[in-house]
Amino acid sequence: MLGILKALKTTLQAAMRKPVTVQYPKEKKELPHRSRGLPVLLWDFDVDEPFCTGCQVCARACPVDCITVTMKDNPKKAAGKSKRKKIVEHFILDYARCMRCDICVEVCNFDAIVMNNTWEGVELATYDRQNLVLDADALLKQSRTGQLKDPFREPMGVAHSGWSPKVEEKEEAEETKVSEEGGEG
Amino acid sequence: MATTDYTIPGEPDLETIDININVGPQHPATHGVFRMVLTVDGELVTDVDPVIGYMHRGNEKLPENCDYRQVIGYHDRTDYLAQFNTEHCFVEAVEKLTGITPTERSQYIRVILAELNRITSHLMFFGAFSTDVGIFGTAFMYAFRDREYVQDFFEEITGERLMYNYFRPGGLAWDVPDNFRERCTQIIGQINSGLKDLEGLLVDNEIVLTRCRGLSRVSIEDAINWGLSGPLLRATGLEYDLRKAEPYSIYDRFQFDIPTGENGDVYDRLLVRFEEMRQSVRIVEQALADMPDGPIMAEGMKRTLRVPEGEIYMRVEGPRGEYGVYIVATGTDKPYRHKVRGASFSNLSALRAMSVGNYLSDVIIILGSIDIVLCEVDR
């Protein structure tokens, strides 16, 4: 009997409190900065092309093989507008298979792919699972239109991640070296 | 099937037979896709036939085609309520095999997260268990509210609510946010007040007391022979915790007690889990006080981690008991053999022995008190 009264007291106390839940579709909680939605590609506004060079590191590192990438020669390189020798041709990402492990972001050498930390990266319900197979244009849309304001991308600075500021500098140095030599490819 | 003859005075002789009752695989009381074929004589359960395998995804075989970083994600999915604990186990195994020493800071963060994860797992247990006992609603919601606070905290650190994929051989994927200490202290406060609520609602609850006390008593000898581990083993009175018995990571630096029960009944399992949450809070507080600054990843890590030839069995104390990983490495970037020892699987093997002779409704409580995670059972 005493137990029941004690339990009742706890229940009554709760009536005085503010609710901890949120009426989800109407009001949405703010997602944390590091929130990992599904991966999207980033757009390089400086040269008006994607960061992605199509190097396929993410495709190889993906545990569930949900990424398919092909690479082509960058036409802007020949025109002298961009430093990128190669650029992504096709980038196909199957959201239905993705397990959001963040490994593609971790291994990317060019800061080209991030996990979507907006609600658009989470609310992807659809009637046909073919709609979840996205190409490069669809993946770039968020970044290109400026919806993806502040993606989280923590540089690990270790070789294990495959990414460090050094790698990028080296890449640039290589690029400049090549351009000095006369810009082959 | 045994037939029993009951003779009721004044009634004609009735012949009764045992009947089979099928619980699951889709049944809320079985905590996942688990099926029990119960043989009942009236309301007494005379036999239990557990049927497992509905959740089998090849979680031991799949990692044999993955490199060591990719395997971590599969460990999240093995025990989906104690992801940090399972990751901890695998990462420690790889580190021991390779000879990497993780950095101090990363070890402290690992311990903090693993202990908080133990709390979330036990809160989940209390929520689910309260529905098994028959007090659906309040206790369930309270437990889940507190679990959600910690889950939000994990999301702030790792970005995911459940499948964190955060530990790496040698350290962590990335550093914790700057406000980690403040948030952690806040979370501890919320847990502490939540535990008070839960204690009032559940542990002293009349329904829980009457239904769980003295139910399915297990002796120490039986528990050892069945291979029980974790809270089930400690509820019998044996003081065995891998964090003390075989200290891994930096658990030897912390002061904490191993809560034990006396009777090994369902109520003791409840109390042991409750006390374990308090001890976890103690560990988190100590770890927070000692946590140093510094790098989060060991130096000299290669881009592709190749583990030298060898084999290892690493075990940690998960919320459900001993979670172990056995790895055979052949010098490549992929494990040659990858075996998981799930605590739930071993604990579930004692279900028949625990249940037979009890009433039908009590079997649900007994199953609930084992706290199975079907992903860990079927793997």
Side-chain angles (χ1 to χ4, degrees), chain B residues 105-119:
Chain B
R105 182 176 169 82
S106 68
Q107 295 219 40
Y108 274 93
I109 294 169
R110 278 182 196 179
V111 166
I112 291 170
L113 294 177
E115 289 309 312
L116 285 176
N117 213 164
R118 190 186 310 279
I119 294 169

Side-chain angles (χ1 to χ4, degrees), chain A residues 116-131:
Chain A
N116 194 340
N117 61 356
T118 63
W119 276 102
E120 278 74 27
V122 188
E123 295 168 330
L124 288 152
T126 173
Y127 283 104
D128 188 356
R129 56 179 88 162
Q130 196 57 40
N131 298 344

Side-chain angles (χ1 to χ4, degrees), chain A residues 1-4 6-8 10-15 17 20 29 31-37 57 60-64 99-103 106-107 109 115 152 154-156 158-163 167 170, chain B residues 66-67 69-70 73-74 77 138 142 145 148-149 152 155-160 163-166 168-169 172-178 196-198 200-201 204-206 296-305:
Chain A
M1 192 63 207
L2 198 73
I4 292 173
K6 260 173 124 180
L8 206 64
T10 320
T11 318
L12 277 171
Q13 275 173 350
R17 269 205 305 265
V20 286
K29 268 188 178 177
L31 287 175
H33 179 220
R34 299 180 175 198
S35 178
R36 268 165 33 199
V57 160
R60 265 175 284 153
C62 180
V64 289
M99 68 183 209
R100 310 200 293 195
C101 62
D102 203 49
I103 289 176
E106 212 172 288
V107 295
N109 292 320
M115 302 307 264
F152 171 70
E154 184 93 359
M156 285 172 72
V158 246
H160 180 50
S161 74
W163 190 93
V167 177
K170 210 173 86 188
Chain B
C66 293
D67 67 35
R69 175 164 44 190
Q70 294 171 343
Y74 285 110
R77 285 152 178 83
T138 322
Y142 273 58
R145 178 199 62 187
E148 205 60 34
Y149 288 144
D152 283 348
E155 193 178 356
E156 281 164 32
I157 297 165
T158 65
E160 273 286 355
M163 304 304 165
Y164 308 119
N165 199 19
Y166 182 57
R168 295 282 183 275
L172 305 166
W174 48 78
D175 207 351
V176 290
D178 296 336
K196 263 181 216 142
D197 286 349
L198 211 59
L201 275 168
D204 301 337
N205 191 310
E206 200 74 32
I296 45 122
M297 183 55 100
E299 273 181 29
M301 295 293 294
K302 298 270 165 45
R303 190 178 283 211
T304 311
L305 183 70

